[in-house]
Amino acid sequence: MTESRGRLPVAGPADVRRAAGRLVRADGRAFAAVLLLNMLAAAAGLAGPWLLGRIIDEVRAGGGVGAVDRLALGILVCALTQLLLARWARYAGHRFGERTLARVREQFVGRALALPASVVERAGTGDLTTRGTADVAAVGTTLRDAGPELLVCAVEALFVMGAVFVIDPLLGAVGVLGLTPIWFALRWYLRRARAGYLAEGAATSEVAEILAATATGARTVEAFRLQERRTEASRDALEVSRRTRFHTLHLRSVFFPVVEVSYSIPVAGVLLLGGALHARGAMSLGAVVAAALYLRQFVGPLDQILVRVEQLQSSGASFARVEGLARAPRSVPEGGAPAPADDRIDVTGVRYAYERGGEVLRGVDLTVRPGERLAVVGPSGAGKTTLSRLLAGVDAPTAGAVTVGGVPVADLEPEALRRQVVLVTQEHHVFLGTVRDNLLIAEPAASDEELWAALAAVGAADWVRELPGGLDARLGADRRRTDGSQAQQLALARVVLADPHTLILDEATALLDPTTARHTERALAAVLEGRTVIAIAHRLHTAHDADRVAVMEDGRLTELGTHEELVRAGGAYAALWSTWHGEPRGT
């Protein structure tokens, strides 16, 4: 297994082989049926050259037209039988491939959803998107087309070469010896192809990542006049992608011409040796013709095998990237963690540093009591958002511990974590589908009454009722577009439906106007009565309403107490409060 810094891992060859074996065993009967049908089709195809050789020998021996007609009829019957069996085998192979592809897709989606958010953020959306689209599609093409075709051709080639050995072992040995150049060319190609196609896939992911980042931040690019810089970054990524694609093209341009030239060597060797043996009376002319036809027939499946082998290198690299998702870092230990004893959250000596930055939390100690409303305030860059991510189990601390009920938050299984803690940020998303679809994500068993209650709790019921269809109104870019405040209200309604015991609001109402934000926060407070609420506050009225206020400065917790206590203390919070109100300090 290989892994670049920040990127999702790639499965090694042994892991890919084991994964392919598991897929075959999952539908073993169908695979066995495909194999049997291919063997029968290949066996039927062997009769043609042998019967043609018999015709030649019959004619040379003075046989009549009747014998020739019977043998010719046998060739026709065998050809039709091979055609029907081959089509049946391909049909069964395609069905096997589609079912297997469905399993690959389901596994990929399950693994992607199980990835910790921090892993996805570090890897970038481009890499994950490319694996879920281009790479899965390449694997699907192989399972649906290349896999069955390769199986058919491999069985046919094996049977054909075996028939040459049956005619004469010496001719079979010459035929195999004539394949030596192809063997060396294949070894040369295979040693380089996997690395080349993996590099091509990584370069494609980088292009997708840059395009996605540029499109997402289009307004920022325009505001700061970053067009030339983003264009240059795109050009650099495209240049790397072009070089990797040219490298794999070079491998193919060397491999295939050598193979094409080598196809005639086994046939020429058999004709020369067979002619010499026939001249000495050691072999009949029909046997020589049959052996030459078999080897000529061998070229067809061999050519398809080599073409599919080349395709397998590309799809094998894609499969390694898809399967690599199973080996991505997991924050949850194997077997999960025990159930928390209670809802108390303890932060003990927590330090945290990002991979490419300095330490952002420096020894934070904090206890959040069940049912408490805690506001976390402080200047930008003080570490508030980082603390909220640790409290929600998105990241694990570099040192120290964040526990709920005595259990590390980051060790909880995703389902258990969602029942304990939910983090709502100012980043939001409206999924393609209806309003109901967007809400049922949080609680699939919720009734319409519960959905309307959740919308009412966050002040969204009125505008949803105005939509054509209400809960069945379709949302999305090509349907009914939602503005930032409406999308954020839908996100908050999902939180109400999820019903966690602890809710972390990281400036979750930042996109709402002050009046709507205050109404939404009060509505949420009413709905979540008796639950723990931790609010990363940018409007200090949130801190005023909280049970306690925690003040973060430069990655440290510098003040902790009620609003009145901190104002009277005259420290950092008092200064923030005075500045926010536009009043002299101490007023």
Side-chain angles (χ1 to χ4, degrees), residues 1 3-10 108 111-129 131 209 321 324-332 352 354-356 389-390 393-396 410:
M1 181 181 69
E3 181 181 359
S4 59
R5 181 179 179 87
R7 291 296 181 189
L8 295 170
V10 176
F108 181 86
R111 290 166 177 172
L113 293 176
L115 287 176
S118 56
V119 173
V120 177
E121 290 173 0
R122 286 193 294 269
T125 56
D127 192 15
L128 189 60
T129 301
R131 293 184 189 223
E209 176 67 25
R321 287 163 52 78
L325 218 61
R327 288 142 190 87
R330 290 291 193 275
S331 60
V332 179
Y352 187 81
Y354 290 101
E355 286 185 2
R356 300 182 182 180
R389 290 168 61 87
L390 298 184
V394 176
D395 287 312

Side-chain angles (χ1 to χ4, degrees), residues 287-379:
V288 175
V289 172
L293 287 176
Y294 275 133
L295 283 175
R296 190 60 197 166
Q297 184 178 331
F298 179 77
V299 169
L302 178 62
D303 185 62
Q304 286 298 313
I305 289 172
L306 294 176
V307 169
R308 297 305 184 182
V309 164
E310 187 278 328
Q311 185 177 345
L312 282 177
Q313 298 310 299
S314 174
S315 61
S318 295
F319 192 25
R321 287 163 52 78
V322 172
E323 185 63 23
L325 218 61
R327 288 142 190 87
R330 290 291 193 275
S331 60
V332 179
E334 201 139 327
D342 52 37
D343 299 340
R344 171 177 165 141
I345 295 176
D346 290 298
V347 180
T348 309
V350 163
R351 293 179 175 272
Y352 187 81
Y354 290 101
E355 286 185 2
R356 300 182 182 180
E359 199 172 46
V360 291
L361 292 181
R362 301 174 175 85
V364 176
D365 292 288
L366 176 66
T367 295
V368 184
R369 298 182 292 267
E372 181 179 22
R373 301 189 187 286
L374 177 72
V376 181
V377 302

Side-chain angles (χ1 to χ4, degrees), residues 107-233:
Q107 287 178 357
F108 181 86
V109 172
R111 290 166 177 172
L113 293 176
L115 287 176
S118 56
V119 173
V120 177
E121 290 173 0
R122 286 193 294 269
T125 56
D127 192 15
L128 189 60
T129 301
T130 303
R131 293 184 189 223
T133 53
D135 289 330
V136 170
V139 173
T141 301
T142 300
L143 292 172
R144 184 179 58 252
D145 301 323
E149 185 71 25
L150 183 62
L151 193 59
V152 171
C153 294
V155 174
E156 186 178 350
L158 184 63
F159 275 46
V160 168
M161 186 56 72
V164 178
F165 274 93
V166 170
I167 292 174
D168 190 281
L170 187 58
L171 294 182
V174 170
V176 172
L177 189 63
L179 299 175
T180 303
I182 297 177
W183 168 252
F184 283 114
L186 184 62
R187 281 176 58 87
W188 176 88
Y189 175 76
L190 292 180
R191 285 175 179 173
R192 295 162 176 79
R194 174 181 163 83
Y197 281 112
L198 285 176
E200 183 179 314
T204 302
S205 294
E206 188 64 25
V207 171
E209 176 67 25
I210 289 177
L211 290 177
T214 303
T216 303
R219 293 183 179 179
T220 303
V221 171
E222 292 178 0
F224 291 94
R225 299 179 181 178
L226 301 175
Q227 291 93 333
E228 291 186 6
R229 187 177 302 179
R230 297 307 299 173
T231 301
E232 186 65 26

Side-chain angles (χ1 to χ4, degrees), residues 172-506:
V174 170
V176 172
L177 189 63
L179 299 175
T180 303
I182 297 177
W183 168 252
F184 283 114
L186 184 62
R187 281 176 58 87
W188 176 88
Y189 175 76
L190 292 180
R191 285 175 179 173
R192 295 162 176 79
R194 174 181 163 83
Y197 281 112
L198 285 176
E200 183 179 314
T204 302
S205 294
E206 188 64 25
V207 171
E209 176 67 25
I210 289 177
L211 290 177
T214 303
T216 303
R219 293 183 179 179
T220 303
V221 171
E222 292 178 0
F224 291 94
R225 299 179 181 178
L226 301 175
Q227 291 93 333
E228 291 186 6
R229 187 177 302 179
R230 297 307 299 173
T231 301
E232 186 65 26
S234 300
R235 285 175 178 167
D236 292 342
L238 288 170
E239 175 60 22
V240 173
S241 179
R242 184 192 68 82
R243 288 200 301 267
T244 59
R245 290 177 181 272
F246 268 63
H247 175 64
T248 56
L249 177 63
H250 166 71
L251 296 179
R252 295 192 295 272
S253 65
V254 172
F255 174 61
F256 283 112
V258 173
V259 168
E260 292 290 339
V261 172
S262 302
Y263 283 153
S264 59
I265 296 177
V267 179
V270 165
L271 287 175
L272 289 173
L273 179 61
L277 292 175
H278 175 67
R280 297 180 181 181
M283 183 177 295
S284 69
L285 180 60
V288 175
V289 172
L293 287 176
Y294 275 133
L295 283 175
R296 190 60 197 166
Q297 184 178 331
F298 179 77
V299 169
L302 178 62
D303 185 62
Q304 286 298 313
I305 289 172
L306 294 176
V307 169
R308 297 305 184 182
V309 164
E310 187 278 328
Q311 185 177 345
L312 282 177
Q313 298 310 299
S314 174
S315 61
S318 295
F319 192 25
R321 287 163 52 78
V322 172
E323 185 63 23
L325 218 61
R327 288 142 190 87
R330 290 291 193 275
S331 60
V332 179
E334 201 139 327
D342 52 37
D343 299 340
R344 171 177 165 141
I345 295 176
D346 290 298
V347 180
T348 309
V350 163
R351 293 179 175 272
Y352 187 81
Y354 290 101
E355 286 185 2
R356 300 182 182 180
E359 199 172 46
V360 291
L361 292 181
R362 301 174 175 85
V364 176
D365 292 288
L366 176 66
T367 295
V368 184
R369 298 182 292 267
E372 181 179 22
R373 301 189 187 286
L374 177 72
V376 181
V377 302
S380 178
K384 303 186 301 297
T385 295
T386 301
L387 178 61
S388 71
R389 290 168 61 87
L390 298 184
L391 290 170
V394 176
D395 287 312
T398 307
V402 179
T403 62
V404 54
V407 178
V409 174
D411 288 353
L412 292 173
E413 295 284 355
E415 282 300 315
L417 178 61
R418 187 179 69 85
R419 290 192 297 270
Q420 298 288 334
V421 183
V422 168
L423 170 66
V424 182
T425 68
Q426 52 188 308
E427 298 175 2
H428 50 269
H429 186 73
V430 177
F431 297 91
L432 293 177
T434 64
V435 176
R436 179 183 281 103
D437 294 334
N438 273 268
L439 298 178
L440 290 179
I441 292 172
E443 181 50 66
S447 64
D448 283 5
E449 291 75 15
E450 291 171 323
L451 299 183
W452 283 114
L455 291 170
V458 298
D462 291 340
W463 66 262
V464 172
R465 283 196 177 92
E466 293 174 0
L467 298 177
L471 290 175
D472 294 317
R474 300 192 65 83
L475 305 177
D478 57 342
R479 301 287 184 174
R480 205 283 186 187
R481 298 181 67 91
T482 54
D483 58 32
S485 64
Q486 291 172 337
Q488 205 157 40
Q489 285 176 321
L490 288 176
L492 293 174
R494 286 196 286 264
V495 173
V496 174
L497 290 167
D499 195 24
H501 81 66
T502 297
L503 176 63
I504 302 174
L505 302 174
D506 185 2

